[in-house]
Amino acid sequence: FDPRHYLRTRCYGFPKTGPHRLRFLLESVKDLRETLKKKGSTLVVRKGKPEDVVRDLITQLGSVSAVVFHEEVREIL
């Protein structure tokens, strides 16, 4: 979870992620983790800036041959 997604917007100070969306995200991640666990896998969940978290995970794992990601479309102002 990137903490920057839970700050307020620059223009009007509205929360980027409200309480209902946050609850949905947490429930979805919990459900995904449980589904993966039933299939013999797991889900790694971290809080922090992705550029830091991914670097730390790669360092911890030691033998990473590829990293795949999806970049979110940014708002245009």
Side-chain angles (χ1 to χ4, degrees):
F1 289 93
D2 186 341
R4 295 172 289 195
H5 289 209
Y6 307 96
L7 302 174
R8 300 198 171 270
T9 58
R10 290 184 304 224
C11 296
Y12 300 103
F14 293 115
K16 291 183 178 182
T17 304
H20 299 291
R21 182 174 183 192
L22 179 59
R23 183 179 321 130
F24 172 77
L25 288 170
L26 293 173
E27 289 172 358
S28 298
V29 168
K30 181 180 178 184
D31 183 65
L32 176 58
R33 176 181 270 158
E34 290 171 2
T35 300
L36 289 170
K37 199 173 193 178
K38 289 176 187 175
K39 296 183 180 288
S41 189
T42 190
L43 177 66
V44 176
V45 179
R46 296 287 186 268
K47 177 184 171 191
K49 293 179 181 178
E51 56 270 25
D52 298 332
V53 171
V54 172
R55 182 193 64 233
D56 294 345
L57 282 172
I58 290 170
T59 301
Q60 287 175 7
L61 295 171
S63 61
V64 176
S65 59
V67 175
V68 180
F69 68 95
H70 169 77
E71 184 174 1
E72 185 175 344
V73 177
R74 297 176 187 253
E75 62 183 287
I76 299 173
L77 296 177

